[in-house]
Amino acid sequence: MPDTDTCLLHLIRHAATESNLMKPPRLQGRTVNLPLTEEGRLQARCVAAVLADRALAAIYASGLHRAVETARCIARPHDLEVQCAEELVEVDVGRWEGKQWDEIERDDPEEYHRFMTSPDEYGYPGGESMSDVVRRVAPALEAMMSRHIGCEIAVVAHNVVNRAYIGSLLKIPLAAAREIPQNNGGMNLIRYRAGKIKVLSINAVLHLPPHRVGAPDPAH
């Protein structure tokens, strides 16, 4: 259990969907709403096993299937209901929804290079920027942590959501936050104490089967 003035947040990227496992991966923002694959369900069980002995007070997730399914697996040993928070939904990727990066570079080269240069400013055409994501996610996560002082909680969110939030906490340029690794089923640990937030670990993956831990994909 954390100290009485502290909340520990286990911030988790959802387990894998079919789009995540494609080579290269296919972007899934909000309207591509796939369930987990068999591999993804295994990843979710591995996360659940790591957290089974933790005294979790609450489990939150974005409302998308891939996050909810992962969160329900984690919640089962604790007899908790998953609480959905729409502020945690994945970034709106606009007109790039459902596309692969090589297709985007070929078909939309100007917007692609603009995004790759300054994703914090330009973002996804017709969608959100990483700055937009931080503005909606950071207050929601801080409110969750402040409600659970003296406790541990788990939150299942998404690749860009996690990267943008962690990047903001580390005070690095959000354009560079795209390089923060977030594997499917990867876990981050964040501490909230006396109104101050600190990142304790990023993208822990040792709980995942070794042959299934590769480079984190750039999709969602």
Side-chain angles (χ1 to χ4, degrees), residues 28-29 47 53-54 62 92-93 107 138 148 153 196 202 211:
Q28 49 182 357
V47 177
D53 293 331
R54 311 299 299 187
S62 111
D92 182 350
V93 299
D107 299 338
H148 296 289
I153 62 174
K196 296 182 179 179
I202 297 175
H211 66 285

Side-chain angles (χ1 to χ4, degrees), residues 5-75:
D5 65 347
T6 300
C7 177
L8 289 178
L9 164 62
H10 301 275
L11 179 62
I12 302 150
R13 185 186 178 193
H14 66 82
T17 68
E18 183 178 355
S19 289
N20 296 136
L21 298 177
M22 295 181 69
K23 302 295 182 185
R26 189 175 296 279
L27 273 68
Q28 49 182 357
R30 299 178 176 182
T31 59
V32 176
N33 195 11
L34 299 175
L36 302 183
T37 61
E38 180 179 354
E39 181 168 340
R41 290 190 289 274
L42 173 60
Q43 292 170 339
R45 290 195 297 272
C46 290
V47 177
V50 170
L51 296 177
D53 293 331
R54 311 299 299 187
L56 297 182
I59 299 177
Y60 297 90
S62 111
L64 294 174
H65 293 326
R66 55 195 185 270
V68 173
E69 190 175 351
T70 304
R72 284 176 176 163
C73 189
I74 298 167

Side-chain angles (χ1 to χ4, degrees), residues 190-202:
I190 295 168
R191 184 185 70 199
Y192 178 91
R193 176 184 291 165
K196 296 182 179 179
I197 306 174
K198 183 175 182 178
V199 179
L200 300 182
S201 66
I202 297 175

